[in-house]
Amino acid sequence: MSADGLTSLLRSAAAGARRRLAPSAPATTPALLRLAVGGYHLWHVGRKRGLYAGVHRTDAESFDPVGPVRILRRPLPPVLADRLVDASLVTGALFTAGFGHRVVGPLHAALQTWNFSYRNSWSMVFHHENTLVLHTMVLAAAPAADALSADALRRDRSLLPHRRSWMYGATPTVMNAAVTLTYLIAGLAKFAGGDGARWVDGANMRGQIAFDALRKQMLGAETSPLGRALYPHRHLFTVLAAFSLVLEIGAPLALLDRKLGRLFALGAFSMHWGIRAIMRITFPYHLSGVLYLPLLLMPPPEAPRG
């Protein structure tokens, strides 16, 4: 193949990828995602405000900074940490309302990242908040306040301006890429573990459920009756293990097709509710369904021109 032919082929492939991954979409697409993600942050952080205040007053010997908090040698004064949480609620309200998005968006994402990292620096790392942070970062950098926002009212005198752009279509794609990558990593980690491909036989999953139930019993916590009822059924765990592995390894395929994206969203959403029912382990952002909203709002690919 000649250099010109290769160049033409690459340009055609790039154009096809752009039409599928960043199609023209209305401004309401990222705006709806901003409202959902911002509203979830307000609910999630607002209801845990007292918990955060207690964590901020934990013995300093328990402080083990993670992420950006590693710049600290010692904990912040508790009152200052409290005010940073309150500040994220203020920026969260402005972010959700779409007020001054170009400034407020990045500021809110930074505060959210810091506060969650600071919270995780006192105990185990709560990975379920990572995707919320990633979604907020994407929306903070995207033109997510061009509709259904205070900014749109100020600039266009309308909550629903007639705006379309490839950037609006790219926003859910980038959000979905961040999510599907986390599932892919989780799936690959199962192969990288001591059991390798044998993980798919379900014995590892069954053992994890038994260990978790035993730990909860020893700590006086409530265990799941459903987990106890299902434990004797070995073949069921083989099916569940295979389902979770296919879902995680195949997660990136959700970016390529709207139907696959919706099937993945349904499967992952069901999986996390199943984990909650069997093990009483909750992933709040996942269980809320907001995590999967970008998959449901993927715009259709553009038709080739000419």
Side-chain angles (χ1 to χ4, degrees), residues 14-293:
R18 207 280 305 166
R19 289 194 299 270
R20 181 168 290 275
L21 300 177
S24 177
T28 50
T29 297
L32 289 170
L33 295 171
R34 186 199 78 246
L35 289 168
V37 173
Y40 178 87
H41 170 89
L42 292 173
W43 172 80
H44 180 69
V45 175
R47 73 189 182 99
K48 291 191 172 184
R49 187 171 175 271
L51 182 148
Y52 294 145
V55 169
H56 299 160
R57 288 155 179 82
T58 303
D59 191 330
E61 292 184 359
S62 301
F63 184 64
D64 185 15
V66 299
V69 182
R70 288 179 179 175
I71 64 174
L72 297 180
R73 295 185 177 181
R74 59 183 63 87
L76 296 172
V79 174
L80 176 57
D82 293 345
R83 297 294 82 80
L84 288 173
V85 171
D86 292 339
S88 77
L89 290 172
V90 173
T91 59
L94 295 174
F95 173 86
T96 306
F99 183 90
H101 184 74
R102 289 187 178 182
V103 175
V104 170
L107 177 59
H108 175 58
L111 278 170
Q112 184 188 77
T113 302
W114 175 269
N115 287 333
F116 286 158
S117 298
Y118 193 75
R119 162 71 178 92
N120 291 341
S121 296
W122 295 91
S123 63
M124 65 176 288
V125 176
F126 293 92
H127 296 288
H128 64 79
E129 292 173 336
N130 292 350
T131 45
L132 172 59
V133 170
L134 291 172
H135 275 179
T136 303
M137 287 180 175
V138 174
L139 290 168
D146 286 0
L148 302 173
S149 66
D151 286 354
L153 276 177
R154 176 182 54 82
R155 182 176 62 186
D156 299 307
R157 308 284 184 185
S158 172
L159 287 173
L160 299 170
H162 298 289
R163 292 175 176 270
R164 294 186 67 89
S165 170
W166 66 267
M167 292 187 291
Y168 303 145
T171 301
T173 298
V174 178
M175 296 172 74
N176 293 332
V179 169
T180 56
L181 180 60
T182 65
Y183 279 93
L184 176 62
I185 292 172
L188 294 176
K190 290 180 174 63
F191 281 111
D195 289 333
R198 289 183 301 169
W199 194 93
V200 77
D201 68 11
N204 188 292
M205 176 187 287
R206 188 166 174 263
Q208 287 178 355
I209 290 172
F211 176 81
D212 181 73
L214 179 61
R215 180 183 62 84
K216 285 186 169 74
Q217 285 182 346
M218 293 178 65
L219 295 174
E222 187 178 0
T223 60
S224 169
L226 180 60
R228 293 195 300 271
L230 296 180
Y231 183 77
H233 303 281
R234 296 173 180 267
H235 295 300
L236 175 62
F237 288 97
T238 301
V239 173
L240 293 175
F243 171 77
S244 66
L245 199 58
V246 169
L247 187 76
E248 291 169 346
I249 297 296
L253 296 176
L255 299 174
L256 303 179
D257 183 82
R258 298 174 77 203
K259 291 182 179 179
L260 286 177
R262 290 169 182 176
L263 282 174
F264 169 77
L266 177 61
F269 184 64
S270 301
M271 180 178 72
H272 286 290
W273 273 101
I275 291 171
R276 184 184 186 279
I278 296 173
M279 300 180 69
R280 293 192 182 277
I281 295 176
T282 60
F283 297 80
Y285 191 48
H286 304 64
L287 295 176
S288 72
V290 176
L291 172 72
Y292 307 107
L293 188 58

